[in-house]
Amino acid sequence: MSRRNTEVTVGAPQGVGALQDTVEASARARVEETCPMVEVLGRVSAKWNISILVAVSEGPVRFTELERALVGISRRMLTLNLRNLERDGLVVRTVYPTVPPKVEYEATPMARELYGSLLALTSWAERHREDVTLARARYDATAEAPSAAR
Amino acid sequence: MSRRNTEVTVGAPQGVGALQDTVEASARARVEETCPMVEVLGRVSAKWNISILVAVSEGPVRFTELERALVGISRRMLTLNLRNLERDGLVVRTVYPTVPPKVEYEATPMARELYGSLLALTSWAERHREDVTLARARYDATAEAPSAAR
DNA sequence: CTGCATCCCGCCAGATACTG
DNA sequence: CAGTATCTGGCGGGATGCAG
């Protein structure tokens, strides 16, 4: 995913590899730094991961509890996302070798640092979901609806 | 077909089953119905959208400036993402009918509410990208290479 | 400068079935 | 309960070329 191609005439093979060679240090350094962290951002900001992280940040949660909390997620996706989060050190997976298997997931300290921001995001999403829906409808209407459209 | 939107709809990180708006989205609509918030979350948290929103929240930005700021993004993706953000009412696109076309993008008030949280996310990503990389390497080492070394 | 169109590949994600 | 395996399809997204 970290491929880059900004029309640099460097002729870097589009294949993978090709590390960043252009260094633009300016007032927007924050944004420019995204390249290395886009990957991390992408992981955290994935559709379900935000909800998952919020859930596991509130204490140990069992697999089934998560499945119920995240309405609409498939078991496969839940498993996959949890694995990825675990791999990135954001979630700790604890297996209790009991008869009915019991597995608990919990956020690591590092992940808990995000709790506040994540909560802010979700609450924002709730507050503005109507506005967004309206804006979309309006946009679609003006872009495609008019008499001569298309 | 000369619609403004080519194919993407963003709103989806990567995959996420992207909520396609074009025409048929019934298959995925059910998820949004049960949990509308997830839908909005998905739109905002797409791979590049966080970085884009941060950038446009700092003032009017021209297309090329964004392209340079978001190291690694392709022109296509930038255009597509900007269109979607505009459609969702998060970004305002202003075209100046000058000879060399000039277009500026700016975040709407609604989008600016996210600035703080988004910045928190990106700064977190910067601060912990190494930890994440390390955790990942460690995980991969114990999970995929148990036979070698050690 | 800004943006659209097209080809194409790979990953994400859903559905379904099987296991400890 | 808690996954794993597999098939399939769609979207994300890169590369390239053309246009206003």
Side-chain angles (χ1 to χ4, degrees), chain B residues 100-116:
Chain B
K102 178 182 177 183
V103 182
E104 282 188 341
Y105 294 89
E106 189 170 11
T108 62
M110 174 168 72
R112 278 202 203 86
E113 289 178 27
L114 282 172
Y115 187 63

Side-chain angles (χ1 to χ4, degrees), chain A residues 84-146:
Chain A
N84 282 326
L85 291 174
E86 183 195 2
R87 189 167 91 105
D88 288 358
L90 296 173
V91 164
V92 174
R93 176 166 169 271
T94 310
V95 182
Y96 298 92
T98 59
V99 173
K102 178 181 175 182
V103 181
E104 283 188 340
Y105 293 91
E106 190 170 11
T108 63
M110 174 169 70
R112 278 201 203 86
E113 289 178 27
L114 282 173
Y115 188 63
S117 306
L118 262 30
L119 222 49
L121 274 186
T122 55
S123 86
W124 179 91
E126 281 185 55
R127 279 184 315 197
H128 292 288
R129 69 182 193 226
E130 286 185 39
D131 302 299
V132 172
T133 302
L134 274 172
R136 279 178 43 130
R138 205 177 311 126
Y139 183 93
D140 291 346
T142 57
E144 191 174 354

Side-chain angles (χ1 to χ4, degrees), chain B residues 51-113:
Chain B
S51 303
I52 292 179
L53 284 174
V54 168
V56 297
S57 289
E58 296 174 341
V61 190
R62 296 190 58 176
F63 187 86
T64 310
E65 293 180 309
L66 280 173
E67 196 174 9
R68 297 208 333 159
L70 303 170
V71 180
I73 195 172
S74 65
R75 191 173 306 176
R76 193 180 95 101
M77 278 303 107
L78 179 54
T79 301
L80 255 32
N81 285 323
L82 283 171
R83 280 284 178 280
N84 282 298
L85 290 174
E86 183 195 1
R87 197 165 60 111
D88 288 356
L90 296 173
V91 164
V92 174
R93 177 167 169 268
T94 310
V95 183
Y96 298 91
T98 58
V99 173
K102 178 182 177 183
V103 182
E104 282 188 341
Y105 294 89
E106 189 170 11
T108 62
M110 174 168 72
R112 278 202 203 86
E113 289 178 27

Side-chain angles (χ1 to χ4, degrees), chain A residues 10-80:
Chain A
V10 82
Q14 356 148 333
V16 198
L19 293 176
Q20 178 175 1
D21 48 53
T22 308
V23 180
E24 305 268 349
S26 65
R28 297 182 181 287
R30 277 175 307 210
V31 183
E32 293 171 18
E33 269 293 325
T34 51
C35 198
M37 75 185 209
V38 162
E39 193 179 351
V40 180
L41 260 188
R43 167 82 66 230
V44 172
S45 66
K47 183 183 180 181
W48 294 105
N49 285 355
I50 291 181
S51 304
I52 291 177
L53 284 174
V54 168
V56 298
S57 289
E58 296 171 340
V61 191
R62 297 188 58 175
F63 187 86
T64 311
E65 293 180 308
L66 280 173
E67 197 172 12
R68 281 183 317 173
L70 304 171
V71 181
I73 194 172
S74 67
R75 187 169 301 179
R76 194 180 96 97
M77 277 305 104
L78 179 54
T79 301
L80 254 37

